[in-house]
Amino acid sequence: MADALFSATILFCLLPVSVLSYAFPAALKLERAVPANHEMEMNELKARDRARHGRLLQSLGGVVDFPVDGTFDPFVVGLYYTKLRLGSPPRDFYVQIDTGSDVLWVSCASCNGCPQTSGLQIQLNYFDPGSSATATPISCSDQRCSWGVQSSDSGCSVQNNLCAYTFQYGDGSGTSGYYVSDLLQFDMIVGSSLVPNSTAQVVFGCSTSQTGDLVKSDRAVDGIFGFGQQGMSVISQLASQGVAPRVFSHCLKGENGGGGILVLGEIVEPNMVFTPLVPSQPHYNVNLLSISVNGQALPINPSVFSTSNGQGTIIDTGTTLAYLSEAAYVPFVEAITNAVSQSVRPVVSKGNQCYVLTTSVADVFPPVSLNFAGGASMFLNPQDYLIQQNNVGGTAVWCIGFQRIQNQGITILGDLVLKDKIFVYDLVGQRIGWANYDCSMSVNVSATSSSGRSEYVNAGQFSDNAAPQKLSLDIVGNIIMLLLVINMFL
């Protein structure tokens, strides 16, 4: 009797409001979910309930986890990438993680000049809209086409009425194609539940033409995953649907083969420092005020780091090294050279300032500090500004990884600097935070940004067989209470 009463109560709670509003008696058709012989295994029942709980909770948003591979080392890979699942049925696509652009795009089945193989030992794929049951091309009249038009990278093809795009990147490479809408499949933590194979409809680019370094097979990937702030970025699309928070984080491993962590959510670390984003900029611009070597500020005119007229400092995971304007580069290299002149032999190799040494760089080279608005400093170890070029007979040659940009007041902080640190891009609070960190370790992630509820999961524990190690819940009370009651009877 108690079981029957409980079942009736659950049935009542889960009925839609439109059904409950009718006067009883009402004719309801019930389908038996459990076989009449009651021989369904307990783990099958739990799997069914987890799937349903996921559907109930998914609309509330959660932490989305992406795998990370690749490394900053320009002599190995020189980029970080992740694997996405797109379409129905879903297919795998490997895409570069790029905070310096806005759009996700992958090579299309009709692509001209796209690479066929990759030296990264990954299987390249082509997206075929005709082979996905859920793919829809974006027409010129579609409101979503305006997201790209606002950033001046979209246009309309008069011949076929498709919303087209053309991108040109800083290294001279480029791609063009058209936008499609299809399902993105991903793993997500909502509350205490892992929700594998979650889906959301997103707009992305189908590349029909590529040029420059994009067509080189040695480091070829299927496309680029832009994490910018514009409406066409996946982070903006998922946030507008309530699927994920408007904040994302990464922690890129520098050593031992690279890899790392990439989540839609805020990595929570007590040593984080934050600096404001410069408003109304197309990239993640921050206000760099000065550079210090061995605790001494370099004699650089502050105007060198001005954020006006298209100048400033950009944080960009799509850039391998780091770049300084001429006026900052020269005093930076001079300060490093003066600090180590008694212990190493300076040499110039292919225009780069290098050093020959027989000891560890950590024992010789000075610490560097990049000082930003808001009192936030980014502390660089020698490995954060040096690249080992070769090692012959036990003698290592290390070169300054920072490169000079002539006639431009731009500073770009690429993977050389960003690795081995947590980075948080808080688009709600319009700030970026960082902290030095061992990115082979797991991290705590909040499902919200600078203000709101705290819902922590331990990234690195995402699996079908393990729950998050550290968790606190703050989700709609009625649903959670209902799920707790259900679990008592499983």
Side-chain angles (χ1 to χ4, degrees), residues 352-384:
N352 296 312
Q353 181 62 62
C354 302
Y355 309 90
V356 179
L357 67 159
T358 56
T359 60
S360 168
V361 293
D363 297 333
V364 177
F365 285 85
V368 170
S369 173
L370 308 180
N371 308 306
F372 296 86
S377 291
M378 187 183 300
F379 298 102
L380 307 183
N381 298 316
Q383 292 88 343
D384 297 329

PDB file of all heavy atoms in Angstrom, residues 352-384:
ATOM      1  N   ASN A 352      67.110  35.635 -32.870  1.00  0.00           N
ATOM      2  CA  ASN A 352      66.591  35.541 -31.510  1.00  0.00           C
ATOM      3  C   ASN A 352      67.732  35.573 -30.500  1.00  0.00           C
ATOM      4  O   ASN A 352      68.796  35.000 -30.728  1.00  0.00           O
ATOM      5  CB  ASN A 352      65.802  34.237 -31.325  1.00  0.00           C
ATOM      6  CG  ASN A 352      64.573  34.183 -32.207  1.00  0.00           C
ATOM      7  OD1 ASN A 352      63.796  35.129 -32.270  1.00  0.00           O
ATOM      8  ND2 ASN A 352      64.387  33.071 -32.902  1.00  0.00           N
ATOM      9  N   GLN A 353      67.486  36.242 -29.379  1.00  0.00           N
ATOM     10  CA  GLN A 353      68.471  36.265 -28.302  1.00  0.00           C
ATOM     11  C   GLN A 353      68.425  34.942 -27.563  1.00  0.00           C
ATOM     12  O   GLN A 353      67.388  34.543 -27.026  1.00  0.00           O
ATOM     13  CB  GLN A 353      68.192  37.419 -27.344  1.00  0.00           C
ATOM     14  CG  GLN A 353      69.185  37.523 -26.193  1.00  0.00           C
ATOM     15  CD  GLN A 353      70.608  37.774 -26.694  1.00  0.00           C
ATOM     16  OE1 GLN A 353      70.881  38.790 -27.324  1.00  0.00           O
ATOM     17  NE2 GLN A 353      71.520  36.852 -26.409  1.00  0.00           N
ATOM     18  N   CYS A 354      69.556  34.233 -27.536  1.00  0.00           N
ATOM     19  CA  CYS A 354      69.625  32.919 -26.909  1.00  0.00           C
ATOM     20  C   CYS A 354      70.775  32.887 -25.907  1.00  0.00           C
ATOM     21  O   CYS A 354      71.626  33.802 -25.867  1.00  0.00           O
ATOM     22  CB  CYS A 354      69.808  31.819 -27.956  1.00  0.00           C
ATOM     23  SG  CYS A 354      68.504  31.760 -29.210  1.00  0.00           S
ATOM     24  N   TYR A 355      70.835  31.793 -25.145  1.00  0.00           N
ATOM     25  CA  TYR A 355      71.838  31.666 -24.098  1.00  0.00           C
ATOM     26  C   TYR A 355      72.274  30.206 -24.017  1.00  0.00           C
ATOM     27  O   TYR A 355      71.443  29.287 -24.052  1.00  0.00           O
ATOM     28  CB  TYR A 355      71.274  32.107 -22.742  1.00  0.00           C
ATOM     29  CG  TYR A 355      70.610  33.458 -22.786  1.00  0.00           C
ATOM     30  CD1 TYR A 355      69.245  33.565 -23.069  1.00  0.00           C
ATOM     31  CD2 TYR A 355      71.321  34.625 -22.555  1.00  0.00           C
ATOM     32  CE1 TYR A 355      68.618  34.807 -23.115  1.00  0.00           C
ATOM     33  CE2 TYR A 355      70.709  35.871 -22.596  1.00  0.00           C
ATOM     34  CZ  TYR A 355      69.354  35.951 -22.885  1.00  0.00           C
ATOM     35  OH  TYR A 355      68.728  37.181 -22.939  1.00  0.00           O
ATOM     36  N   VAL A 356      73.604  30.008 -23.915  1.00  0.00           N
ATOM     37  CA  VAL A 356      74.159  28.669 -23.761  1.00  0.00           C
ATOM     38  C   VAL A 356      74.482  28.475 -22.286  1.00  0.00           C
ATOM     39  O   VAL A 356      75.190  29.276 -21.681  1.00  0.00           O
ATOM     40  CB  VAL A 356      75.441  28.501 -24.608  1.00  0.00           C
ATOM     41  CG1 VAL A 356      76.020  27.105 -24.421  1.00  0.00           C
ATOM     42  CG2 VAL A 356      75.142  28.774 -26.071  1.00  0.00           C
ATOM     43  N   LEU A 357      73.943  27.398 -21.696  1.00  0.00           N
ATOM     44  CA  LEU A 357      74.194  27.164 -20.275  1.00  0.00           C
ATOM     45  C   LEU A 357      74.237  25.682 -19.987  1.00  0.00           C
ATOM     46  O   LEU A 357      73.674  24.866 -20.728  1.00  0.00           O
ATOM     47  CB  LEU A 357      73.126  27.835 -19.409  1.00  0.00           C
ATOM     48  CG  LEU A 357      71.684  27.302 -19.465  1.00  0.00           C
ATOM     49  CD1 LEU A 357      70.933  27.728 -18.217  1.00  0.00           C
ATOM     50  CD2 LEU A 357      70.934  27.826 -20.681  1.00  0.00           C
ATOM     51  N   THR A 358      74.887  25.333 -18.911  1.00  0.00           N
ATOM     52  CA  THR A 358      75.036  23.939 -18.505  1.00  0.00           C
ATOM     53  C   THR A 358      74.275  23.628 -17.236  1.00  0.00           C
ATOM     54  O   THR A 358      74.285  22.490 -16.765  1.00  0.00           O
ATOM     55  CB  THR A 358      76.524  23.606 -18.284  1.00  0.00           C
ATOM     56  OG1 THR A 358      77.073  24.514 -17.315  1.00  0.00           O
ATOM     57  CG2 THR A 358      77.303  23.727 -19.586  1.00  0.00           C
ATOM     58  N   THR A 359      73.614  24.615 -16.660  1.00  0.00           N
ATOM     59  CA  THR A 359      72.834  24.406 -15.440  1.00  0.00           C
ATOM     60  C   THR A 359      71.355  24.623 -15.736  1.00  0.00           C
ATOM     61  O   THR A 359      70.965  24.973 -16.847  1.00  0.00           O
ATOM     62  CB  THR A 359      73.281  25.381 -14.333  1.00  0.00           C
ATOM     63  OG1 THR A 359      73.088  26.726 -14.804  1.00  0.00           O
ATOM     64  CG2 THR A 359      74.745  25.180 -13.995  1.00  0.00           C
ATOM     65  N   SER A 360      70.532  24.441 -14.741  1.00  0.00           N
ATOM     66  CA  SER A 360      69.090  24.620 -14.883  1.00  0.00           C
ATOM     67  C   SER A 360      68.763  26.101 -15.071  1.00  0.00           C
ATOM     68  O   SER A 360      69.374  26.965 -14.429  1.00  0.00           O
ATOM     69  CB  SER A 360      68.359  24.083 -13.647  1.00  0.00           C
ATOM     70  OG  SER A 360      67.010  24.485 -13.636  1.00  0.00           O
ATOM     71  N   VAL A 361      67.801  26.387 -15.943  1.00  0.00           N
ATOM     72  CA  VAL A 361      67.415  27.782 -16.153  1.00  0.00           C
ATOM     73  C   VAL A 361      66.849  28.389 -14.882  1.00  0.00           C
ATOM     74  O   VAL A 361      66.973  29.597 -14.639  1.00  0.00           O
ATOM     75  CB  VAL A 361      66.393  27.910 -17.305  1.00  0.00           C
ATOM     76  CG1 VAL A 361      67.011  27.545 -18.636  1.00  0.00           C
ATOM     77  CG2 VAL A 361      65.148  27.068 -17.033  1.00  0.00           C
ATOM     78  N   ALA A 362      66.224  27.558 -14.043  1.00  0.00           N
ATOM     79  CA  ALA A 362      65.638  28.065 -12.806  1.00  0.00           C
ATOM     80  C   ALA A 362      66.700  28.589 -11.851  1.00  0.00           C
ATOM     81  O   ALA A 362      66.419  29.445 -10.999  1.00  0.00           O
ATOM     82  CB  ALA A 362      64.816  26.972 -12.125  1.00  0.00           C
ATOM     83  N   ASP A 363      67.941  28.082 -11.993  1.00  0.00           N
ATOM     84  CA  ASP A 363      69.027  28.518 -11.109  1.00  0.00           C
ATOM     85  C   ASP A 363      69.691  29.801 -11.590  1.00  0.00           C
ATOM     86  O   ASP A 363      70.438  30.432 -10.839  1.00  0.00           O
ATOM     87  CB  ASP A 363      70.102  27.415 -11.015  1.00  0.00           C
ATOM     88  CG  ASP A 363      69.561  26.138 -10.401  1.00  0.00           C
ATOM     89  OD1 ASP A 363      68.606  26.233  -9.609  1.00  0.00           O
ATOM     90  OD2 ASP A 363      70.093  25.057 -10.737  1.00  0.00           O
ATOM     91  N   VAL A 364      69.427  30.196 -12.828  1.00  0.00           N
ATOM     92  CA  VAL A 364      70.166  31.308 -13.424  1.00  0.00           C
ATOM     93  C   VAL A 364      69.274  32.489 -13.781  1.00  0.00           C
ATOM     94  O   VAL A 364      69.614  33.646 -13.481  1.00  0.00           O
ATOM     95  CB  VAL A 364      70.927  30.823 -14.686  1.00  0.00           C
ATOM     96  CG1 VAL A 364      71.649  31.988 -15.363  1.00  0.00           C
ATOM     97  CG2 VAL A 364      71.903  29.706 -14.338  1.00  0.00           C
ATOM     98  N   PHE A 365      68.143  32.213 -14.405  1.00  0.00           N
ATOM     99  CA  PHE A 365      67.337  33.290 -14.973  1.00  0.00           C
ATOM    100  C   PHE A 365      66.403  33.911 -13.936  1.00  0.00           C
ATOM    101  O   PHE A 365      65.896  33.236 -13.034  1.00  0.00           O
ATOM    102  CB  PHE A 365      66.535  32.777 -16.168  1.00  0.00           C
ATOM    103  CG  PHE A 365      67.383  32.577 -17.394  1.00  0.00           C
ATOM    104  CD1 PHE A 365      68.089  31.391 -17.582  1.00  0.00           C
ATOM    105  CD2 PHE A 365      67.508  33.578 -18.341  1.00  0.00           C
ATOM    106  CE1 PHE A 365      68.890  31.210 -18.695  1.00  0.00           C
ATOM    107  CE2 PHE A 365      68.301  33.404 -19.457  1.00  0.00           C
ATOM    108  CZ  PHE A 365      68.998  32.219 -19.638  1.00  0.00           C
ATOM    109  N   PRO A 366      66.151  35.215 -14.068  1.00  0.00           N
ATOM    110  CA  PRO A 366      65.382  35.950 -13.058  1.00  0.00           C
ATOM    111  C   PRO A 366      63.874  35.769 -13.240  1.00  0.00           C
ATOM    112  O   PRO A 366      63.397  35.451 -14.346  1.00  0.00           O
ATOM    113  CB  PRO A 366      65.777  37.404 -13.315  1.00  0.00           C
ATOM    114  CG  PRO A 366      66.016  37.448 -14.804  1.00  0.00           C
ATOM    115  CD  PRO A 366      66.658  36.117 -15.130  1.00  0.00           C
ATOM    116  N   PRO A 367      63.107  35.997 -12.181  1.00  0.00           N
ATOM    117  CA  PRO A 367      61.643  36.012 -12.312  1.00  0.00           C
ATOM    118  C   PRO A 367      61.198  37.283 -13.022  1.00  0.00           C
ATOM    119  O   PRO A 367      61.841  38.329 -12.938  1.00  0.00           O
ATOM    120  CB  PRO A 367      61.160  35.970 -10.861  1.00  0.00           C
ATOM    121  CG  PRO A 367      62.271  36.598 -10.074  1.00  0.00           C
ATOM    122  CD  PRO A 367      63.543  36.204 -10.787  1.00  0.00           C
ATOM    123  N   VAL A 368      60.084  37.170 -13.718  1.00  0.00           N
ATOM    124  CA  VAL A 368      59.507  38.301 -14.446  1.00  0.00           C
ATOM    125  C   VAL A 368      58.083  38.507 -13.958  1.00  0.00           C
ATOM    126  O   VAL A 368      57.378  37.547 -13.645  1.00  0.00           O
ATOM    127  CB  VAL A 368      59.535  38.047 -15.973  1.00  0.00           C
ATOM    128  CG1 VAL A 368      58.716  39.102 -16.724  1.00  0.00           C
ATOM    129  CG2 VAL A 368      60.968  38.023 -16.477  1.00  0.00           C
ATOM    130  N   SER A 369      57.672  39.748 -13.896  1.00  0.00           N
ATOM    131  CA  SER A 369      56.313  40.067 -13.469  1.00  0.00           C
ATOM    132  C   SER A 369      55.663  40.999 -14.488  1.00  0.00           C
ATOM    133  O   SER A 369      56.236  42.023 -14.861  1.00  0.00           O
ATOM    134  CB  SER A 369      56.328  40.735 -12.089  1.00  0.00           C
ATOM    135  OG  SER A 369      55.034  41.197 -11.737  1.00  0.00           O
ATOM    136  N   LEU A 370      54.474  40.609 -14.964  1.00  0.00           N
ATOM    137  CA  LEU A 370      53.650  41.478 -15.801  1.00  0.00           C
ATOM    138  C   LEU A 370      52.600  42.095 -14.902  1.00  0.00           C
ATOM    139  O   LEU A 370      51.822  41.377 -14.266  1.00  0.00           O
ATOM    140  CB  LEU A 370      52.994  40.678 -16.935  1.00  0.00           C
ATOM    141  CG  LEU A 370      53.924  39.817 -17.797  1.00  0.00           C
ATOM    142  CD1 LEU A 370      53.116  39.097 -18.871  1.00  0.00           C
ATOM    143  CD2 LEU A 370      55.026  40.657 -18.416  1.00  0.00           C
ATOM    144  N   ASN A 371      52.563  43.402 -14.828  1.00  0.00           N
ATOM    145  CA  ASN A 371      51.724  44.098 -13.852  1.00  0.00           C
ATOM    146  C   ASN A 371      50.545  44.776 -14.554  1.00  0.00           C
ATOM    147  O   ASN A 371      50.731  45.583 -15.462  1.00  0.00           O
ATOM    148  CB  ASN A 371      52.555  45.126 -13.095  1.00  0.00           C
ATOM    149  CG  ASN A 371      53.819  44.503 -12.504  1.00  0.00           C
ATOM    150  OD1 ASN A 371      53.760  43.515 -11.790  1.00  0.00           O
ATOM    151  ND2 ASN A 371      54.974  45.062 -12.835  1.00  0.00           N
ATOM    152  N   PHE A 372      49.329  44.431 -14.105  1.00  0.00           N
ATOM    153  CA  PHE A 372      48.109  44.857 -14.777  1.00  0.00           C
ATOM    154  C   PHE A 372      47.282  45.790 -13.911  1.00  0.00           C
ATOM    155  O   PHE A 372      47.504  45.920 -12.693  1.00  0.00           O
ATOM    156  CB  PHE A 372      47.270  43.633 -15.147  1.00  0.00           C
ATOM    157  CG  PHE A 372      47.918  42.723 -16.140  1.00  0.00           C
ATOM    158  CD1 PHE A 372      48.794  41.729 -15.713  1.00  0.00           C
ATOM    159  CD2 PHE A 372      47.681  42.841 -17.499  1.00  0.00           C
ATOM    160  CE1 PHE A 372      49.408  40.874 -16.615  1.00  0.00           C
ATOM    161  CE2 PHE A 372      48.284  42.004 -18.404  1.00  0.00           C
ATOM    162  CZ  PHE A 372      49.155  41.020 -17.974  1.00  0.00           C
ATOM    163  N   ALA A 373      46.289  46.399 -14.546  1.00  0.00           N
ATOM    164  CA  ALA A 373      45.351  47.267 -13.830  1.00  0.00           C
ATOM    165  C   ALA A 373      44.623  46.468 -12.763  1.00  0.00           C
ATOM    166  O   ALA A 373      44.370  45.277 -12.917  1.00  0.00           O
ATOM    167  CB  ALA A 373      44.352  47.869 -14.820  1.00  0.00           C
ATOM    168  N   GLY A 374      44.287  47.145 -11.674  1.00  0.00           N
ATOM    169  CA  GLY A 374      43.607  46.484 -10.570  1.00  0.00           C
ATOM    170  C   GLY A 374      44.543  45.834  -9.584  1.00  0.00           C
ATOM    171  O   GLY A 374      44.104  45.125  -8.669  1.00  0.00           O
ATOM    172  N   GLY A 375      45.860  46.033  -9.759  1.00  0.00           N
ATOM    173  CA  GLY A 375      46.832  45.477  -8.824  1.00  0.00           C
ATOM    174  C   GLY A 375      47.155  44.014  -9.051  1.00  0.00           C
ATOM    175  O   GLY A 375      47.805  43.387  -8.203  1.00  0.00           O
ATOM    176  N   ALA A 376      46.747  43.435 -10.189  1.00  0.00           N
ATOM    177  CA  ALA A 376      47.014  42.024 -10.473  1.00  0.00           C
ATOM    178  C   ALA A 376      48.331  41.879 -11.215  1.00  0.00           C
ATOM    179  O   ALA A 376      48.573  42.562 -12.211  1.00  0.00           O
ATOM    180  CB  ALA A 376      45.880  41.432 -11.298  1.00  0.00           C
ATOM    181  N   SER A 377      49.172  40.981 -10.740  1.00  0.00           N
ATOM    182  CA  SER A 377      50.447  40.706 -11.404  1.00  0.00           C
ATOM    183  C   SER A 377      50.487  39.251 -11.844  1.00  0.00           C
ATOM    184  O   SER A 377      49.966  38.363 -11.161  1.00  0.00           O
ATOM    185  CB  SER A 377      51.623  40.992 -10.470  1.00  0.00           C
ATOM    186  OG  SER A 377      51.754  42.384 -10.225  1.00  0.00           O
ATOM    187  N   MET A 378      51.103  39.018 -13.004  1.00  0.00           N
ATOM    188  CA  MET A 378      51.299  37.668 -13.526  1.00  0.00           C
ATOM    189  C   MET A 378      52.781  37.349 -13.408  1.00  0.00           C
ATOM    190  O   MET A 378      53.615  37.986 -14.057  1.00  0.00           O
ATOM    191  CB  MET A 378      50.846  37.583 -14.974  1.00  0.00           C
ATOM    192  CG  MET A 378      50.860  36.173 -15.556  1.00  0.00           C
ATOM    193  SD  MET A 378      50.389  36.165 -17.321  1.00  0.00           S
ATOM    194  CE  MET A 378      48.741  36.867 -17.246  1.00  0.00           C
ATOM    195  N   PHE A 379      53.112  36.384 -12.564  1.00  0.00           N
ATOM    196  CA  PHE A 379      54.510  36.054 -12.295  1.00  0.00           C
ATOM    197  C   PHE A 379      54.962  34.941 -13.244  1.00  0.00           C
ATOM    198  O   PHE A 379      54.340  33.879 -13.312  1.00  0.00           O
ATOM    199  CB  PHE A 379      54.684  35.639 -10.842  1.00  0.00           C
ATOM    200  CG  PHE A 379      54.329  36.729  -9.867  1.00  0.00           C
ATOM    201  CD1 PHE A 379      53.116  36.717  -9.202  1.00  0.00           C
ATOM    202  CD2 PHE A 379      55.193  37.795  -9.652  1.00  0.00           C
ATOM    203  CE1 PHE A 379      52.774  37.733  -8.320  1.00  0.00           C
ATOM    204  CE2 PHE A 379      54.872  38.813  -8.770  1.00  0.00           C
ATOM    205  CZ  PHE A 379      53.651  38.776  -8.104  1.00  0.00           C
ATOM    206  N   LEU A 380      56.039  35.205 -13.960  1.00  0.00           N
ATOM    207  CA  LEU A 380      56.550  34.269 -14.949  1.00  0.00           C
ATOM    208  C   LEU A 380      57.840  33.635 -14.460  1.00  0.00           C
ATOM    209  O   LEU A 380      58.783  34.335 -14.082  1.00  0.00           O
ATOM    210  CB  LEU A 380      56.806  34.979 -16.281  1.00  0.00           C
ATOM    211  CG  LEU A 380      55.656  35.792 -16.887  1.00  0.00           C
ATOM    212  CD1 LEU A 380      56.087  36.345 -18.247  1.00  0.00           C
ATOM    213  CD2 LEU A 380      54.404  34.954 -17.006  1.00  0.00           C
ATOM    214  N   ASN A 381      57.869  32.297 -14.473  1.00  0.00           N
ATOM    215  CA  ASN A 381      59.103  31.579 -14.245  1.00  0.00           C
ATOM    216  C   ASN A 381      59.932  31.616 -15.536  1.00  0.00           C
ATOM    217  O   ASN A 381      59.410  31.949 -16.607  1.00  0.00           O
ATOM    218  CB  ASN A 381      58.798  30.131 -13.851  1.00  0.00           C
ATOM    219  CG  ASN A 381      58.013  30.049 -12.554  1.00  0.00           C
ATOM    220  OD1 ASN A 381      58.325  30.737 -11.594  1.00  0.00           O
ATOM    221  ND2 ASN A 381      56.977  29.209 -12.541  1.00  0.00           N
ATOM    222  N   PRO A 382      61.215  31.264 -15.475  1.00  0.00           N
ATOM    223  CA  PRO A 382      62.019  31.285 -16.702  1.00  0.00           C
ATOM    224  C   PRO A 382      61.406  30.480 -17.852  1.00  0.00           C
ATOM    225  O   PRO A 382      61.479  30.891 -19.005  1.00  0.00           O
ATOM    226  CB  PRO A 382      63.359  30.702 -16.246  1.00  0.00           C
ATOM    227  CG  PRO A 382      63.460  31.089 -14.805  1.00  0.00           C
ATOM    228  CD  PRO A 382      62.046  30.991 -14.282  1.00  0.00           C
ATOM    229  N   GLN A 383      60.785  29.332 -17.524  1.00  0.00           N
ATOM    230  CA  GLN A 383      60.174  28.513 -18.581  1.00  0.00           C
ATOM    231  C   GLN A 383      58.958  29.183 -19.200  1.00  0.00           C
ATOM    232  O   GLN A 383      58.442  28.711 -20.222  1.00  0.00           O
ATOM    233  CB  GLN A 383      59.771  27.137 -18.030  1.00  0.00           C
ATOM    234  CG  GLN A 383      60.949  26.243 -17.655  1.00  0.00           C
ATOM    235  CD  GLN A 383      61.411  26.466 -16.224  1.00  0.00           C
ATOM    236  OE1 GLN A 383      61.089  27.469 -15.596  1.00  0.00           O
ATOM    237  NE2 GLN A 383      62.171  25.515 -15.703  1.00  0.00           N
ATOM    238  N   ASP A 384      58.483  30.289 -18.600  1.00  0.00           N
ATOM    239  CA  ASP A 384      57.339  31.017 -19.148  1.00  0.00           C
ATOM    240  C   ASP A 384      57.753  32.099 -20.136  1.00  0.00           C
ATOM    241  O   ASP A 384      56.892  32.704 -20.775  1.00  0.00           O
ATOM    242  CB  ASP A 384      56.516  31.658 -18.018  1.00  0.00           C
ATOM    243  CG  ASP A 384      55.914  30.634 -17.080  1.00  0.00           C
ATOM    244  OD1 ASP A 384      55.608  29.524 -17.544  1.00  0.00           O
ATOM    245  OD2 ASP A 384      55.747  30.942 -15.876  1.00  0.00           O
TER     246      ASP A 384
END
